[in-house]
Amino acid sequence: MGRTPPHPEVSQFDLQQVLEALVDPVRRSVVMQLDAAGEDFACGTFDLPVSKSTATHHFKVLREAGLIRQYYVGTSRMNALRRAEMDEAFPGLLDALAARRAKGG
Amino acid sequence: MGRTPPHPEVSQFDLQQVLEALVDPVRRSVVMQLDAAGEDFACGTFDLPVSKSTATHHFKVLREAGLIRQYYVGTSRMNALRRAEMDEAFPGLLDALAARRAKGG
C-alpha cells in the first residue's frame, strides 16, 4: 500500500485547481472516458494522443486536483473517477462537461 | 455602431475556448460579478486586481469566447453576460460555477 500516491480530501478540493486540470483537452478526455465507461481503467488503456511520460504527468495533475483516484492492481496503476466527491464539491460541473460530450462537443 | 466589436454566434461557441476563458480567476470573477448583479456593467466599474490594460485584455477574451457581449453607451464600453446563450450551448456550466460562488468558493 506504500505505493498509493497521496490524494486530497473533498474538503481540500479547489475550484481553481480543478478548472486548471479540466482545461487541458487530454486531461478532460481522461475524465470523460472514465465517466462514459463507468469503470476504472489502467493508465495504459486510455486512448490518448500523447507520450506515456506526458500521460503520466496528466494523470498526476488529475489526481492532485481530486478528479481521479489512483491505486495499484499488481503492476498496473488503475484510475477511478471521483465522480461522487466532485459532484459533492462542485455540483453540476462534470454533468455540464458530460452533457457537452453527449452532444459531440 | 461601427465601434461594436465582433461577437461569436451561439453555434460558434467552443467548449475549449470557454474553459480557457473561465480558468483565469480574474475573468471568472468578471463573469460571476455580472451573474450575481443581473445587470450590465461598464468596464471601469468592476472590482478587479489588475491594470486597466490587463482588464481590457480579459474582457476581449471573454467576448471572443461568447461569455460577454460588449456595446457602447456614449463613451462607456458596457458588458453584458450572455447567460441564456451560454446555458443553451453548455447547460449547467455557469450554474456550477455560480453554485460554488454561493458557497464562498
Side-chain angles (χ1 to χ4, degrees):
Chain A
M1 294 298 170
R3 290 189 303 169
T4 302
H7 293 77
E9 302 294 324
V10 177
S11 62
Q12 297 172 307
F13 287 3
D14 176 72
L15 179 59
Q16 184 61 36
Q17 192 174 0
V18 169
L19 289 177
E20 287 172 7
L22 290 172
V23 76
D24 182 275
V26 173
R27 292 196 289 266
R28 200 160 68 251
S29 172
V30 167
V31 169
M32 291 296 104
Q33 286 182 53
L34 286 168
D35 193 50
E39 59 182 303
D40 303 351
F41 286 144
C43 286
T45 59
F46 288 88
D47 180 20
L48 301 176
V50 296
S51 69
K52 185 179 172 183
S53 65
T54 299
T56 298
H57 164 73
H58 286 316
F59 285 115
K60 179 172 182 281
V61 172
L62 289 170
R63 173 174 54 74
E64 291 179 344
L67 282 154
I68 63 171
R69 184 172 297 282
Q70 295 191 296
Y71 60 96
Y72 279 89
V73 175
T75 57
S76 291
R77 184 180 280 210
M78 302 296 296
N79 301 277
L81 183 63
R82 299 177 71 177
R83 184 62 140 101
E85 290 161 287
M86 269 294 141
D87 288 348
E88 180 186 339
F90 311 111
L93 183 58
L94 291 186
D95 281 336
L97 299 180
R100 183 59 181 179
R101 179 197 66 215
K103 288 174 64 181
Chain B
M1 295 299 168
R3 289 188 305 168
T4 303
H7 293 77
E9 301 293 324
V10 177
S11 63
Q12 297 171 307
F13 287 3
D14 176 72
L15 179 59
Q16 183 61 38
Q17 192 174 358
V18 169
L19 289 177
E20 287 172 7
L22 290 172
V23 76
D24 182 276
V26 173
R27 292 195 289 265
R28 200 161 66 251
S29 171
V30 167
V31 169
M32 291 296 105
Q33 287 182 51
L34 285 169
D35 194 49
E39 60 182 301
D40 304 351
F41 286 143
C43 286
T45 58
F46 288 87
D47 180 21
L48 301 176
V50 296
S51 69
K52 184 178 174 184
S53 64
T54 299
T56 298
H57 165 74
H58 286 317
F59 286 116
K60 179 171 181 282
V61 172
L62 289 170
R63 173 173 54 76
E64 291 179 343
L67 282 154
I68 62 171
R69 185 174 295 281
Q70 296 192 295
Y71 60 96
Y72 278 89
V73 174
T75 56
S76 292
R77 184 179 280 209
M78 301 296 295
N79 301 277
L81 183 63
R82 299 177 69 179
R83 184 62 141 100
E85 290 161 288
M86 269 294 140
D87 289 348
E88 179 186 340
F90 311 112
L93 182 59
L94 291 186
D95 282 336
L97 299 180
R100 184 59 181 177
R101 179 198 65 216
K103 289 175 64 181

